[in-house]
Amino acid sequence: MRWAFTMLKAVGPIRRIPRISNFLTACAISNFHNTKIVAFGSTCRVDNPPEDDPTLTTLLKAGTEAITLFGKSWTLHVTDVLRATLEENLQIIEDSCAWLKENGREVIYDAEHFFDGYKADPEYALETLLAAQAGGAEVLVLCDTNGGTMPYQIQEIISAIQPRLDVPLGIHTHNDAGMAVANSIVALEMGATHVQGTINGYGERCGNANLCSVIPNIEFKLGKTAIGAENLKRLMELSRFVSEIANVYHDHRQPYVGESAFAHKAGVHVDAMLKQPATYEHCDAEAVGNQRRFLLSEQSGGGAVAAKLHHLIPGLDKRHPTVQKLLQKIKQLEHEGYVFEAAEASFEILARQILGSIRRPFKLINYRTINRKSVAGSEVEAIVKIEIDGQIYHTVGEGDGPVNALDSALRLALESVYPTLKDVRLEDYKVRVLSSADGTAAKVRVLVESSDRQRVWNTVGVSENIIEASWMALVDSLTYKLLLDDIIVVG
Ligand SMILES: CC(=O)SCCNC(=O)CCNC(=O)[C@H](O)C(C)(C)COP(=O)(O)OP(=O)(O)OC[C@H]1O[C@@H](n2cnc3c(N)ncnc32)[C@H](O)[C@@H]1OP(=O)(O)O
Ligand SMILES: CC(C)C(=O)C(=O)O
């Protein structure tokens, strides 16, 4: 199986060379074990012989072992976009592939709009592939560029062309009809041996085939080896890493690698899962580096609560009075607007309070926020007074807003006693109005996501006062970090 995880898609005129070659020089001296960097660009222009074409010469100068060339398969694109004749397009495909081959490169040919082209004129679309094959392309990648092809059409078209080609096929799909992964899998099932996609499916419009789904599907559903069991265990870590680098919120609902992929909420599901894990899961969470989670909510039963407490009290019976007490408390708080399924850290703190296995890190005496707005701009300040082990801390913090200022003031006091709190980052802050009919007097729910770069956790606060709700979620977040670090655990 060949992989095209990421492609260098910006190869263009000469003026781009320095930036690209810096990147490629860095790649060339990196010691990749499983990765091959591939330069990417189009066939030459009709008016240019390959050796004078700025795109092709730049691709060659990139110095990569392999080059992906894309060319037109659809008559509409040839006539209306390239503004060339159908024969000229066949010629530039063959000549471009052949010239790169003559210059010692491995050539991957991406047949742009192949499926739409085939629907419009099957014979011509096939001829474009034959031209690339004649030019020496090592693999012919069929692209569903507009993302509108259905899996059964992929199957029909591949069956029709396969007998007429001699080189291996690849697949490149987009997700405009929500079929990118399905279409890739169909093509692979039919014998394609090269798949192009992106981590988390990031890409133009609705995205590309999500390799975080394609890869485990190959391993678990097609029964073939893609990256192997050991690498597969790091898939979720990779998915999170790429979203972090891209500065895009990690999608909890992603198959296999989303935080919710193995999260169970309904009491009936949780009860069955505890009896037999195969009842509500199609594969093993740990095989892709994920983990099973039981979410607590007003839909929970005792089984879910007991399972949640397993790491604190192994073997706890779901009918135990503590379980029932906690269950009642959760239902009452959820009725007031809390959501523990999205705030597991707050649940753990609540459970430990009921079990008496937590020491609160500080006692609040009071806090206050001051918002000063003038023509010169706005200033926000928070003053916090707390007690830690009998000692009073009185601190002032400034911020962009009252919550930010409160966070600064609280940390100023706490970090001198609990230095690991310096590692806590607020990743996300969400506010939801719970009873909009009450206008500005409505209750709000604040959800905070925090991390210490190794772990991520979520906390919740609910109040009629947005600052109060934020304070609650903030305090739970810092408290949970101290729990994770074993600093305030009791017993
Ligand atoms: C199919 C895909 O989606 S692959 C993703 C392609 N990647 C990108 O578009 C991102 C990077 N792109 C770029 O940097 C620029 O668009 C460049 C450098 C490639 C071209 O820049 P420019 O020369 O300024 O042209 P511009 O972007 O305006 O137009 C695209 C040109 O490519 C031509 N072109 C499109 N497909 C092909 C092809 N398969 N073979 C040859 N030329 C092609 C178009 O006809 C158009 O040429 P024209 O100006 O003569 O009409
Ligand atoms: C040419 C390729 C790689 C592409 O993005 C497409 O056709 O979808």
Side-chain angles (χ1 to χ4, degrees):
M1 190 70 61
R2 297 160 55 117
W3 296 99
F5 288 142
T6 37
M7 293 177 293
L8 184 61
K9 278 198 161 191
V11 175
I14 303 292
R15 65 190 144 79
R16 292 171 195 271
I17 290 174
R19 193 156 51 88
I20 290 167
S21 58
N22 286 345
F23 169 73
L24 291 166
T25 307
C27 291
I29 56 173
S30 302
N31 203 5
F32 295 126
H33 296 295
N34 303 310
T35 303
K36 193 188 272 181
I37 300 295
V38 179
F40 174 89
S42 73
T43 53
C44 63
R45 304 287 173 107
V46 169
D47 298 334
N48 297 337
E51 62 277 14
D52 293 333
D53 185 78
T55 299
L56 289 193
T57 50
T58 306
L59 284 170
L60 204 60
K61 284 189 180 129
T64 56
E65 200 182 321
I67 290 174
T68 298
L69 265 195
F70 73 89
K72 303 288 191 199
S73 326
W74 188 357
T75 49
L76 172 79
H77 268 263
V78 179
T79 54
D80 292 27
V81 180
L82 287 190
R83 302 201 169 120
T85 66
L86 300 184
E87 291 67 32
E88 282 171 332
N89 181 49
L90 295 177
Q91 199 62 53
I92 58 172
I93 294 173
E94 181 172 344
D95 290 352
S96 301
C97 293
W99 188 72
L100 292 176
K101 285 297 299 172
E102 278 159 26
N103 282 282
R105 298 301 190 269
E106 178 187 334
V107 176
I108 298 165
Y109 178 70
D110 274 15
E112 191 196 347
H113 292 108
F114 179 75
F115 295 98
D116 292 325
Y118 190 91
K119 290 174 213 160
D121 185 339
E123 208 41 49
Y124 184 74
L126 182 63
E127 276 183 61
T128 65
L129 294 182
L130 292 169
Q133 182 175 286
E138 265 95 352
V139 56
L140 303 174
V141 183
L142 311 177
C143 301
D144 184 28
T145 308
N146 294 2
T149 305
M150 294 290 113
Y152 68 89
Q153 295 172 313
I154 302 272
Q155 190 173 21
E156 277 166 22
I157 295 172
I158 295 183
S159 311
I161 61 165
Q162 230 164 6
R164 300 187 51 193
L165 298 166
D166 299 328
V167 295
L169 289 182
I171 183 78
H172 174 115
T173 58
H174 282 260
N175 205 31
D176 302 68
M179 293 292 157
V181 171
N183 285 344
S184 303
I185 295 298
V186 169
L188 292 168
E189 175 67 351
M190 297 194 67
T193 51
H194 169 121
V195 58
Q196 296 181 352
T198 59
I199 298 299
N200 298 331
Y202 298 149
E204 195 88 352
R205 306 185 305 278
C206 309
N208 287 60
N210 183 353
L211 291 172
C212 293
S213 299
V214 171
I215 294 170
N217 282 339
I218 292 171
E219 299 261 355
F220 302 145
K221 312 298 173 185
L222 302 186
K224 296 177 182 169
T225 300
I227 57 173
E230 277 314 300
N231 287 326
L232 208 51
K233 286 187 193 146
R234 302 191 61 190
L235 196 65
M236 182 166 180
E237 181 190 337
L238 173 70
S239 168
R240 288 198 68 95
F241 171 75
V242 172
S243 64
E244 173 100 354
I245 296 288
N247 202 13
V248 172
Y249 194 72
H250 192 245
D251 179 5
H252 286 222
R253 298 270 166 205
Q254 260 198 76
Y256 294 106
V257 295
E259 281 75 2
S260 300
F262 299 90
H264 305 276
K265 176 170 172 178
V268 169
H269 292 207
V270 174
D271 173 67
M273 286 294 298
L274 290 166
K275 292 170 179 155
Q276 166 55 267
T279 49
Y280 286 96
E281 277 176 8
H282 72 111
C283 76
D284 176 14
E286 284 169 19
V288 288
N290 207 332
Q291 59 185 28
R292 178 178 306 145
R293 290 164 57 211
F294 295 123
L295 304 179
L296 288 167
S297 73
E298 79 293 346
Q299 292 180 34
S300 297
V305 174
K308 272 297 203 205
L309 297 180
H310 180 77
H311 67 295
L312 297 176
I313 314 174
L316 185 64
D317 189 90
K318 69 178 182 182
R319 290 172 194 85
H320 191 281
T322 306
V323 171
Q324 293 307 319
K325 188 172 167 192
L326 195 47
L327 192 57
Q328 290 320 313
K329 186 77 184 161
I330 291 164
K331 292 195 181 210
Q332 175 217 322
L333 289 173
E334 290 239 344
H335 186 70
E336 289 172 19
Y338 283 76
V339 279
F340 287 103
E341 69 179 81
E344 296 195 329
S346 288
F347 167 77
E348 169 124 9
I349 291 168
L350 178 71
R352 283 179 177 272
Q353 279 166 350
I354 288 180
L355 294 169
S357 70
I358 187 171
R359 173 175 67 81
R360 275 283 180 185
F362 68 91
K363 204 166 110 194
L364 173 69
I365 298 173
N366 57 51
Y367 67 73
R368 140 171 70 108
T369 59
I370 302 160
N371 204 344
R372 224 176 279 119
K373 176 91 185 149
S374 70
V375 278
S378 53
E379 285 167 29
V380 185
E381 200 174 85
I383 301 162
V384 168
K385 196 169 174 187
I386 59 174
E387 184 189 318
I388 308 173
D389 294 335
Q391 193 171 334
I392 303 293
Y393 294 78
H394 201 167
T395 48
V396 180
E398 286 180 336
D400 302 330
V403 178
N404 185 226
L406 265 179
D407 184 34
S408 310
L410 181 60
R411 279 163 186 258
L412 206 60
L414 290 176
E415 281 172 8
S416 57
V417 183
Y418 306 112
T420 63
L421 292 181
K422 287 196 179 86
D423 300 334
V424 179
R425 259 180 27 178
L426 292 191
E427 300 286 351
D428 200 10
Y429 171 87
K430 284 185 279 200
V431 182
R432 168 73 49 91
V433 177
L434 297 176
S435 45
S436 48
D438 297 337
T440 52
K443 236 184 203 177
V444 293
R445 177 199 299 140
V446 169
L447 285 166
V448 164
E449 182 168 300
S450 313
S451 85
D452 60 2
R453 291 182 189 275
Q454 287 172 305
R455 298 159 296 202
V456 178
W457 61 94
N458 296 281
T459 52
V460 62
V462 173
S463 168
E464 277 86 18
N465 178 335
I466 189 170
I467 294 176
E468 170 71 9
S470 307
W471 169 266
M472 291 161 126
L474 200 61
V475 169
D476 268 9
S477 163
L478 299 175
T479 304
Y480 190 71
K481 164 69 177 162
L482 298 175
L483 262 183
L484 287 174
D485 294 344
D486 272 342
I487 293 172
I488 50 166
V489 175
V490 173

